[in-house]
């Protein structure tokens, strides 16, 4: 089941029971844990709404070996970002909190760029950016902030905290464009 809207104002993750059965012609995707568990396949919904998001001919798709870390507390947005960035040619890892991301840094994991939500529980994206910029192996990585709020004051606060760019969450093409631009500038410098 799906619902199309013009704008997402808030995301509430809540389960519900249904009697929906996945037709055999539809493959399983990350958000679909099986029939009747209350979780419609996010990928299936996105496939139906925006077919080009997951096609190999997606706008700007090209092969790359650049590794991107997504830091996003919402499983819904992680399930939208990971496949679209993967199709765009990035090697993507995703975590659900800033604390998880910092544990990856402490463990020696390396990435070429970080895409982080701003509004997260415990440690928000601004505090996370300051922690990354304070030193360590990730201090010079491009960081792109994702938020549903992109007012000029919020963008400035993001840049002051250390984000390279600030993009609205639902602008998939802009996220990919920003990643490519930031990574190109990093290589050129």
């Amino acid at each position: 089941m799906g619902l199309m809207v013009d704008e997402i104002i808030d995301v509430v993750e809540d389960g519900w029971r249904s009697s929906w059965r996945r037709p055999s012609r539809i493959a399983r995707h990350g958000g679909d844990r099986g029939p009747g568990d209350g979780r419609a396949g996010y990928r299936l919904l996105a496939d139906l709404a925006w077919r080009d998001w997951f096609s190999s001919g997606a706008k700007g798709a090209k092969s790359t070996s650049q590794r991107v870390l997504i830091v996003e507390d919402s499983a819904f947005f992680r399930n939208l970002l990971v496949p679209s960035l993967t199709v765009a040619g990035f090697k993507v890892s995703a975590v659900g909190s800033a604390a998880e991301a910092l544990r990856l840094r402490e463990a020696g994991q390396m990435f070429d760029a970080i895409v982080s939500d701003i509004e997260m529980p415990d440690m928000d994206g601004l505090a996370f950016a300051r922690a990354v910029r304070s030193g360590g192996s990730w201090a010079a990585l491009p960081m792109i902030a994702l938020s549903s709020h992109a007012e000029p004051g919020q963008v400035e606060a993001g840049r002051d905290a250390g984000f390279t760019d600030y993009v609205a969450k639902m602008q998939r093409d802009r996220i990919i464009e920003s990643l490519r631009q930031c990574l190109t500038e990093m290589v050129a410098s």
Side-chain angles (χ1 to χ4, degrees), residues 128-139:
F128 172 62
R130 288 185 199 101
V132 169
R133 296 295 186 222
S134 70
S137 58
W138 294 359

Side-chain angles (χ1 to χ4, degrees), residues 11-64:
V11 175
V12 177
E13 295 184 27
D14 193 9
W16 54 275
R17 302 275 306 157
S18 74
S19 59
W20 179 78
R21 297 284 179 194
R22 179 175 43 87
S24 60
R25 65 181 175 78
I26 299 175
R28 282 189 183 271
H29 297 295
D32 179 11
R33 289 190 279 182
D37 73 350
R39 292 178 58 112
Y42 302 127
R43 166 85 187 261
L44 173 60
L45 176 59
D47 273 345
L48 296 174
W50 302 284
R51 292 191 188 282
D52 71 312
W53 273 41
F54 302 101
S55 67
S56 60
K59 182 180 176 182
K62 60 174 108 171
S63 180
T64 180

Side-chain angles (χ1 to χ4, degrees), residues 141-155:
L141 293 182
M143 293 185 72
I144 299 169
L146 292 182
S147 180
S148 52
H149 308 286
E151 301 298 320
Q154 294 162 325
V155 172

Side-chain angles (χ1 to χ4, degrees), residues 4 9 39 62 68 84 90 97 99 103 107 109 112 116 171:
M4 296 302 299
I9 296 172
R39 292 178 58 112
K62 60 174 108 171
V68 175
S84 63
F90 297 99
S97 72
R103 282 194 292 276
Q109 291 286 319
D112 297 299
S116 175
Q171 295 180 337

Side-chain angles (χ1 to χ4, degrees), residues 152-174:
Q154 294 162 325
V155 172
E156 184 178 339
R159 291 193 186 277
D160 289 345
F163 282 102
T164 312
D165 200 1
Y166 199 105
V167 180
K169 277 189 176 182
M170 295 309 293
Q171 295 180 337
R172 178 191 69 100
D173 289 340
R174 178 69 184 103

Side-chain angles (χ1 to χ4, degrees), residues 80-158:
L80 288 177
L81 283 170
V82 170
S84 63
L85 294 180
T86 300
V87 167
F90 297 99
K91 293 182 181 176
V92 182
S93 297
V95 295
S97 72
E100 287 179 74
L102 293 173
R103 282 194 292 276
L104 290 177
R105 180 181 70 172
E106 292 166 11
Q109 291 286 319
M110 287 304 300
F111 298 93
D112 297 299
I114 299 170
V115 176
S116 175
D117 186 16
I118 292 292
E119 298 170 11
M120 296 184 287
D122 300 322
M123 178 185 282
D124 69 16
L126 300 178
F128 172 62
R130 288 185 199 101
V132 169
R133 296 295 186 222
S134 70
S137 58
W138 294 359
L141 293 182
M143 293 185 72
I144 299 169
L146 292 182
S147 180
S148 52
H149 308 286
E151 301 298 320
Q154 294 162 325
V155 172
E156 184 178 339

